[in-house]
Amino acid sequence: MKKYYGSSSVREADRIAAEELGLPGIVLMENAGRGAAEMLLRKYPEAEKFLILCGPGNNGGDGFVAARHLFLAGRAPTIVAAIGPGEYKNDAAAAFAALLPLRDGGSLNVFHSKNLTDGELSVLCRSSDLTVDALLGTGSSGALRGEVKRLAEFCGEARRVVSLDIPTGVNPDTGETAETAVTAEMTLTFLAEKPGLAVSPGFFHSGEVHVCGIGFPPELALARKASLLTGYDKSDVPLLTPKIPRDAHKGTRGALMIVGGCDYFRGAPVLAAMGALRAGCGLVFLAVPDFMVNGAAALLPEAIFVPLGSKEGSVDFDSFEQRVPPWLGKCDALVCGPGFGLSDGARKTTEWLCREWGKPLLLDADALRHAADAKMTEVFRGREKLNSTVVTPHEGEAAYMLGIEAKKISGKRLSSCEALAEKFGVSLLKGPHTLICGAAERRVILEGGAQLAIPGSGDVLSGIIGAFLAAGTPPMDAATLGALTHAEAGNKYKGTSGLLARELADNAASVLN
């Protein structure tokens, strides 16, 4: 697990360092800038000409210190400041003053950006081996303005860009980005990683991330503050995986029912069942329209089939209400939605399950649209008390569930996932660096890639999570372990194209063993 701390925690850490540990701000800035310079020299030993873009606050001060140490190491840094030399305050002013002997000696070039034409800035960016973005740090958010915006835009012309603390234009707490946001190939962040470095779209602007110390152990100042986000990677799989006793049998490993399927999407519930069985589920019941049973049973004889009457290519709700309840007592968890379609029967079935099923319930695909109906609000308030619901939308489905445009979801993934959790229960928002939010916790999956963007991938994920729910894993952990298993199953495929969802399910077993 990796903890991500927000801007308020960083400010509090600075206060603790100054007031309780006797480390004033200028010392912290010196340590940060020197650490950044050392990392730059280590990562880019061939670089000679550095362009340091310094903003109006402490991030600019970090840039001044880094420039001084790069100069002392024999490199040729050029500083472009977003404000005039006399406008810097406090620690940043002191850091600038330490440059004066080098500048006045003619050995170090320092420019105020207002005194440079666009053409001159372009030449500086294109001719430098490396451009360092020290424009705005974790204390800033919102739209970029003035010279900071202008300099951020010119980063797009640079050969290579490294950002200090956070790429300019990326919100450190949410990962949301301004219209103009710097895209770095590496970010040197200070003290601890910030959520905006892990949550997309900020993740895509951050590149490779390294933490630079600032002169005291982070735990001394951060232990008092809760992290805003927890990151999980493949090393966490063994920690979350349910322990299987030596005397286990299929009845003790959990029983899962999967409800779904229609004339057009016959494979989806079968793929979900494959995912569940490969994740170690003891029993999987497939409740699907009767016309699907023979073909599905031939493909997956390990499942137990509950044939449902059909009507116009979809489930007939009256049949469901008659045939399924006797089987529910055998089940520990339920997945509803894979390939279900938008028929009236599918809608009524989803609504019935949300009202009547009190054990863990995962809703995916078409069931998410049915559950998003306004009249279901009170039903989910009741389920929220049980903390027994998991929803797994992609961004388009999340947009429908929240009543907003899909493009707003992609730009505000963390707040969107939080809104889903408040409304529906534990929410897993699929996509780059999948997010999982519950009532009081936010998590990010640090694995996965483009190979997962295939038909049926989400169905397999639903089945995997369902297996863990059936085994008694708490919903937040089941969603987390499921997403990690799913991502690692994709990582076992060497390439980004050609993976089949059934192979993804098969790979899940090797992830867990």
Side-chain angles (χ1 to χ4, degrees):
M1 287 179 282
K2 181 184 291 187
K3 299 293 185 180
Y4 294 85
Y5 291 88
S7 52
S8 63
S9 297
V10 173
R11 286 193 295 271
E12 176 66 5
D14 287 345
R15 184 198 65 77
I16 292 171
E19 297 179 7
E20 300 180 24
L21 303 179
L23 296 171
I26 188 60
V27 173
L28 301 180
M29 183 175 287
E30 179 68 22
N31 291 339
R34 183 179 65 249
E38 290 172 352
M39 183 65 75
L40 290 170
L41 292 169
R42 186 157 60 249
K43 289 289 185 177
Y44 302 95
E46 77 289 349
E48 291 291 335
K49 296 175 66 177
F50 289 80
L51 176 63
I52 320 291
L53 305 178
C54 295
N58 284 344
N59 197 239
D62 297 332
F64 293 146
V65 175
R68 176 161 50 83
H69 284 282
L70 288 171
F71 177 83
L72 294 174
R75 302 306 194 269
T78 294
I79 295 172
V80 176
I83 60 176
E87 298 178 77
Y88 282 97
K89 308 292 184 184
N90 305 319
D91 297 332
F96 183 82
L99 291 170
L100 293 180
L102 306 179
R103 185 193 67 170
D104 294 342
S107 302
L108 182 67
N109 291 319
V110 181
F111 300 101
H112 181 193
S113 61
K114 283 187 176 181
N115 298 329
L116 296 174
T117 66
D118 287 355
E120 290 170 328
L121 275 174
S122 181
V123 169
L124 283 174
C125 286
R126 292 174 182 273
S127 63
S128 298
D129 299 319
L130 189 71
T131 295
V132 177
D133 159 32
L135 292 168
L136 294 178
T138 56
S140 301
S141 61
L144 305 185
R145 296 182 296 274
E147 289 299 295
V148 168
K149 179 179 180 181
R150 181 176 174 233
L151 291 174
E153 290 172 342
F154 272 101
C155 285
E157 297 189 20
R159 294 183 187 178
R160 314 178 85 170
V161 178
V162 172
S163 291
L164 300 189
D165 214 12
I166 193 88
T168 296
V170 173
N171 185 302
D173 296 337
T174 68
E176 296 171 20
T177 56
E179 184 178 356
T180 300
V182 171
T183 298
E185 68 173 52
M186 185 168 70
T187 298
L188 305 180
T189 198
F190 303 125
L191 186 65
E193 292 199 39
K194 287 75 181 179
L197 298 170
V199 177
S200 63
F203 162 72
F204 291 111
H205 288 259
S206 304
E208 183 181 335
V209 176
H210 295 274
V211 178
C212 294
I214 58 174
F216 63 92
E219 57 271 17
L220 287 180
L222 294 174
R224 308 178 196 181
K225 302 288 287 187
S227 60
L228 286 184
L229 184 73
T230 305
Y232 288 78
D233 61 24
K234 60 184 179 182
S235 67
D236 296 304
V237 170
L239 304 177
L240 294 170
T241 302
K243 301 297 183 284
I244 309 299
R246 294 182 64 182
D247 61 349
H249 55 81
K250 62 186 179 184
T252 62
R253 298 192 66 169
L256 175 70
M257 178 174 283
I258 297 170
V259 181
C262 70
D263 195 20
Y264 294 107
F265 304 110
R266 302 186 184 205
V270 178
L271 288 169
M274 287 181 176
L277 289 166
R278 287 299 192 183
C281 197
L283 292 167
V284 174
F285 300 91
L286 261 177
V288 295
D290 47 19
F291 55 78
M292 287 179 52
V293 171
N294 288 343
L299 185 62
L300 193 65
E302 296 87 350
I304 299 169
F305 287 86
V306 183
L308 305 177
S310 56
K311 184 177 181 181
E312 298 178 351
S314 185
V315 63
D316 177 13
F317 175 68
D318 292 335
S319 169
F320 171 87
E321 202 171 21
Q322 292 172 6
R323 298 185 186 181
V324 169
W327 293 89
L328 291 179
K330 304 176 184 293
C331 300
D332 301 296
L334 193 146
V335 170
C336 177
F340 216 12
L342 300 176
S343 70
D344 187 60
R347 176 183 62 79
K348 288 180 178 179
T349 299
T350 303
E351 292 176 358
W352 188 92
L353 288 170
C354 289
R355 285 195 307 268
E356 303 298 330
W357 175 253
K359 296 179 184 179
L361 171 65
L362 184 148
L363 299 174
D364 187 30
D366 299 315
L368 298 171
R369 295 179 67 90
H370 301 310
D373 191 292
K375 66 183 180 182
M376 296 295 289
T377 301
E378 291 301 321
V379 174
F380 276 98
R381 284 179 181 169
R383 290 198 62 83
E384 185 180 3
K385 296 176 183 177
L386 299 174
N387 191 31
S388 58
T389 309
V390 178
V391 295
T392 59
H394 56 57
E395 290 180 358
E397 292 163 339
Y400 183 88
M401 296 168 75
L402 295 176
I404 60 179
E405 297 178 14
K407 64 181 180 180
K408 291 185 178 179
I409 299 289
S410 61
K412 298 178 178 292
R413 282 180 55 84
L414 189 54
S415 61
S416 297
C417 194
E418 290 173 327
L420 288 166
E422 185 175 345
K423 191 173 182 180
F424 296 100
V426 173
S427 296
L428 182 152
L429 181 57
K430 301 171 187 172
H433 275 201
T434 288
L435 294 170
I436 303 167
C437 291
E441 192 175 359
R442 307 187 297 181
R443 298 178 177 181
V444 61
I445 304 301
L446 304 175
E447 306 286 357
Q451 67 272 24
L452 297 175
I454 55 173
S457 176
D459 302 314
V460 173
L461 172 62
S462 293
I464 293 172
I465 297 173
F468 299 137
L469 289 171
T473 306
M476 278 292 289
D477 287 345
T480 304
L481 178 58
L484 279 174
T485 302
H486 182 253
E488 276 301 287
N491 288 342
K492 287 184 176 296
Y493 182 76
K494 304 304 180 185
T496 56
S497 299
L499 177 68
L500 296 177
R502 74 189 74 169
E503 297 169 330
L504 191 60
D506 291 343
N507 289 347
S510 61
V511 173
L512 297 167
N513 290 297

